[in-house]
Amino acid sequence: MVSVTTTSQNTVEAGIGLDNETLTMMLETVRDYVRDAIPDERLLRLDHEDECPVDLVRGMCSGDQLGIQLLFIPEEYGGMGGSTFDVYRICEQMAALDVGVATSVLATFLGSDPIFFGATPEQKSRWLTEIAERGVLYAYGATEPDAGSDLGALKTTATPVLADGTVRGYRLNGRKQWISNGGIADKYTILARAPGGPSWFVLDRGTEGFTQNRPEDKHGIRLSNTAALFLEDALVPVGNLVGGVEGQGLIQAQKVFGYTRVMVAAFGLGAGWAALDRAIPYSAARIQAGAPLSEKQGYTHKLIVPHAVRLEAARAFIESVATRIDAGEGADGALNTEGAIAKYLASEAGNQAADAAIQAHGGYGYTREYLVEKIKRDVRITTIYEGTSEIMEMTIARDRWQRHLKTGGRYYLDTAAGLRALDTRHPDVGAATAAVACEALAGVLETCRAGRLTRNQHVLLRLGELIAAAEGAGCFAGRAAAALDGELPEKASHRFDGTALAGMSRVFARDAAMRVACDGLRWVTGAGGVSTGGPLAGGLRLDAACAAQEGLIADMDRVADVLYGRDGAASS
Ligand SMILES: Cc1cc2nc3c(=O)[nH]c(=O)nc-3n(C[C@H](O)[C@H](O)[C@H](O)COP(=O)(O)OP(=O)(O)OC[C@H]3O[C@@H](n4cnc5c(N)ncnc54)[C@H](O)[C@@H]3O)c2cc1C
């Protein structure tokens, strides 16, 4: 059953990762360090000139300066052993400053993940220690020109080099595409097809036969270096086969998705909020038709409020997944679907928020100076790398479809029952409306099963979208309740208090219920699964979803008051 209570204090504060003071200090230090190094003027220039600030990236990953790489290296290898929760907070902070720079740092996180999850103890000690001590920069080389979403199609080969009948090394041949840090890294983790199957290899920059292309001229994250890699008989020693066994590459890649997708989700969250945090003060100062834009409901309730709500719903999911990973639930990729939901909700919300922030600035938003235009271009990548939104939809839908089948259709009905129990304790957090969304979802899934409608791929992917909305609503209600009970962990974001979160959660739950009921009806009807006037509408809880909309505008008014700090509404 889907968890309806989110970040439990116990798991986050059971001593996993940094203590709250250290995390807070690190968040502030990252902010100050990056702002000092790239004030807005330099940021705009680097973006314009499509230049990666290598000095900054190296400084961030150097023990003498910021040392951010220590966060994700376990203490036994000289790092700080940050938890997933810590990493989410830092990733959000970095992305709020610049998604390109955040991507460069992330590339070392990603590049070392196959090592972390798949290497032998000796290899871990060698490679992770040098990241901690020397700030070695990594790049993660999985994607190829013909193998992106479908990594199984990879063509890069690893041919064993034999001496006296023993494998002494591998010759790598092939091409990697769009590799972050591709032109600046010191070491590369490369996925290549060995005789025993896809495997990860660690390759040093400067290896003969290994070259990097010039940086790509990109739409956004122009402060991040992205380059193709060419491998022509590049020789790696046998000791650089990660884990020492061929054929583990795709399994090792799968193991990390729950974790890495939380990081990219945090990028969507950070960048989305960075855009809104520019639009909010702008609209409070901008006078049109005799009053600030912030006092115009048609402006705030379209361009500001729904986006803040979606971002905070995504945060609820991110915090929930991070907490569960830190509690040990994510072993062997067990939380990959949850990671996908977090990434999907946050990256889509971040994109929509940044787009709205341009509109909220009017003509000024369309110029470079106000930065929201750059943020919009930057955050766009979060719906593409580490798995596109469509692949997220597919991942989510396939997993939950199986759960629906295995439980005889009870999966989301049980979740709804949990939400109704939450509603009796906290009638103000939107849990009953989230329950309607889940009940409607159970109806949609069951209709799809009866009519075999998921043979239409579009229906399957739309189910992924509706599932993310319904689960997001349940999770947000749980987080709002935890905040009201004073049970949010210390390390969680405390930007909004429980009352503010409850109002936001009610708005999000209404949207989720309506979307599941209406879009669900649309797609099952469109796929020929129901005839007009049949009993379906009842199962889809359309009436209940409509009834739940009562009070929506008043709640949006409250959220706007919070965001603009009116009437003593709480937001810190
Ligand atoms: C700036 C940047 C940085 C990157 N950094 C790295 C990196 O460091 N390391 C690395 O390995 N990779 C990296 N990538 C690659 C990235 O992960 C891939 O671009 C991404 O996985 C998508 O693969 P693709 O580009 O081949 O698109 P495709 O897989 O060809 O997808 C194209 C479109 O088709 C859709 N699609 C694909 N398959 C299906 C399907 N089965 N059903 C329905 N729709 C489908 C996709 O959602 C997408 O909309 C980076 C990419 C960019 C642009």
Side-chain angles (χ1 to χ4, degrees):
M1 189 169 72
V2 180
S3 165
V4 293
T5 47
T6 57
T7 40
S8 124
Q9 200 149 3
N10 296 339
T11 45
V12 176
E13 285 165 13
I16 300 165
L18 311 183
D19 59 62
N20 190 43
E21 283 68 28
T22 309
L23 175 63
T24 307
M25 193 185 71
M26 210 161 172
L27 286 166
E28 288 168 1
T29 311
V30 168
R31 184 197 59 206
D32 296 345
Y33 185 89
V34 176
R35 274 197 192 149
D36 280 356
I38 42 170
D40 285 0
E41 207 176 304
R42 184 173 180 218
L43 202 59
L44 283 169
R45 186 178 59 73
L46 292 168
D47 175 63
H48 185 63
E49 292 171 6
D50 198 13
E51 185 187 330
C52 171
V54 184
D55 55 335
L56 171 67
V57 175
R58 290 219 172 262
M60 289 177 80
C61 298
S62 143
D64 302 341
Q65 296 186 46
L66 195 61
I68 200 164
Q69 85 286 7
L70 299 176
L71 179 69
F72 62 92
I73 303 286
E75 284 173 299
E76 60 189 302
Y77 304 116
M80 295 169 80
S83 63
T84 314
F85 208 92
D86 299 322
V87 169
Y88 129 65
R89 294 298 314 274
I90 297 285
C91 283
E92 179 192 3
Q93 175 69 283
M94 288 195 299
L97 298 158
D98 184 85
V99 183
V101 170
T103 298
S104 288
V105 174
L106 176 83
T108 294
F109 282 41
L110 286 181
S112 61
D113 273 339
I115 299 171
F116 188 78
F117 286 96
T120 63
E122 183 277 328
Q123 289 175 328
K124 282 187 192 178
S125 170
R126 175 157 49 117
W127 291 323
L128 296 180
T129 306
E130 68 179 7
I131 296 174
E133 288 179 356
R134 294 200 284 113
V136 170
L137 283 191
Y138 266 77
Y140 176 83
T143 305
E144 298 184 0
D146 296 321
S149 302
D150 178 15
L151 272 186
L154 94 156
K155 291 185 181 149
T156 298
T157 53
T159 310
V161 176
L162 298 168
D164 304 329
T166 310
V167 178
R168 305 285 179 187
Y170 291 85
R171 288 209 180 272
L172 305 187
N173 280 287
R175 176 182 170 151
K176 295 291 172 183
Q177 188 77 2
W178 300 309
I179 305 305
S180 302
N181 284 358
I184 63 169
D186 305 306
K187 284 189 190 269
Y188 298 74
T189 32
I190 301 285
L191 188 64
R193 193 176 289 285
S199 314
W200 288 101
F201 296 88
V202 173
L203 184 67
D204 286 318
R205 186 186 186 81
T207 301
E208 200 177 325
F210 175 43
T211 51
Q212 305 84 35
N213 208 355
R214 59 176 164 67
E216 301 288 349
D217 183 1
K218 302 191 297 292
H219 172 67
I221 57 166
R222 289 162 70 84
L223 276 73
S224 163
N225 174 286
T226 314
L229 311 176
F230 303 107
L231 299 147
E232 291 164 4
D233 272 341
L235 181 65
V236 287
V238 67
N240 286 22
L241 165 64
V242 174
V245 181
E246 293 176 8
Q248 302 299 303
L250 294 181
I251 301 163
Q252 287 160 355
Q254 279 288 333
K255 277 187 183 173
V256 306
F257 275 147
Y259 178 65
T260 56
R261 286 175 177 161
V262 166
M263 297 184 206
V264 178
F267 284 5
L269 184 63
W273 265 117
L276 285 191
D277 281 334
R278 287 177 183 269
I280 291 169
Y282 175 83
S283 55
R286 175 78 172 165
I287 311 290
Q288 289 293 284
L293 290 171
S294 56
E295 290 175 16
K296 299 179 191 297
Q297 207 191 42
Y299 175 98
T300 54
H301 290 23
K302 179 182 176 191
L303 300 176
I304 307 290
V305 169
H307 303 290
V309 164
R310 275 183 213 133
L311 287 168
E312 286 307 298
R315 182 193 301 287
F317 217 91
I318 291 170
E319 292 199 349
S320 163
V321 183
T323 303
R324 293 175 65 188
I325 291 175
D326 289 338
E329 275 189 65
D332 289 337
L335 292 176
N336 282 359
T337 304
E338 285 71 13
I341 295 176
K343 178 182 187 285
Y344 182 67
L345 288 174
S347 60
E348 292 290 333
N351 264 280
Q352 290 170 22
D355 195 50
I358 294 180
Q359 189 72 10
H361 280 76
Y364 296 101
Y366 200 64
T367 63
R368 299 183 61 245
E369 187 187 341
Y370 284 74
L371 274 144
V372 285
E373 171 272 343
K374 173 183 173 295
I375 296 172
K376 172 68 187 102
R377 282 185 288 107
D378 287 350
V379 71
R380 191 71 185 75
I381 192 60
T382 61
T383 65
I384 297 175
Y385 63 18
E386 273 306 284
T388 65
S389 281
E390 294 69 39
I391 298 300
M392 296 303 97
E393 288 166 350
M394 201 183 323
T395 303
I396 297 162
R398 279 185 177 156
D399 180 67
R400 297 312 197 230
W401 178 249
Q402 287 305 319
R403 294 193 191 199
H404 176 79
L405 298 183
K406 280 186 189 148
T407 57
R410 296 279 337 151
Y411 187 68
Y412 284 107
L413 294 177
D414 289 347
T415 306
L419 285 162
R420 291 201 181 279
L422 175 64
D423 183 64
T424 57
R425 295 197 306 277
H426 278 292
D428 44 358
V429 295
T433 310
V436 171
C438 289
E439 288 156 1
L441 185 57
V444 175
L445 290 167
E446 190 49 23
T447 310
C448 287
R449 188 199 60 76
R452 300 178 56 240
L453 306 185
T454 53
R455 64 180 186 271
N456 299 286
Q457 199 211 20
H458 185 55
V459 172
L460 183 71
L461 268 61
R462 299 288 39 86
L463 286 179
E465 179 190 0
L466 301 183
I467 289 165
E471 292 202 20
C475 197
F476 200 2
R479 186 173 194 271
L484 284 169
D485 290 341
E487 285 183 356
L488 276 190
E490 236 187 338
K491 286 205 274 189
S493 163
H494 292 276
R495 178 170 182 154
F496 300 106
D497 70 9
T499 307
L501 288 174
M504 290 181 166
S505 175
R506 292 194 297 272
V507 173
F508 188 83
R510 288 187 182 99
D511 182 59
M514 207 62 192
R515 243 193 311 151
V516 176
C518 290
D519 286 4
L521 182 59
R522 180 179 181 208
W523 296 123
V524 297
T525 308
V530 62
S531 50
T532 322
L536 183 75
L540 295 196
R541 309 285 279 125
L542 208 49
D543 289 351
C546 284
Q549 304 307 311
E550 199 180 321
L552 172 61
I553 297 287
D555 271 338
M556 293 179 88
D557 289 343
R558 286 187 195 101
V559 175
D561 286 344
V562 170
L563 294 173
Y564 286 98
R566 295 190 289 243
D567 300 338
S571 161
S572 56

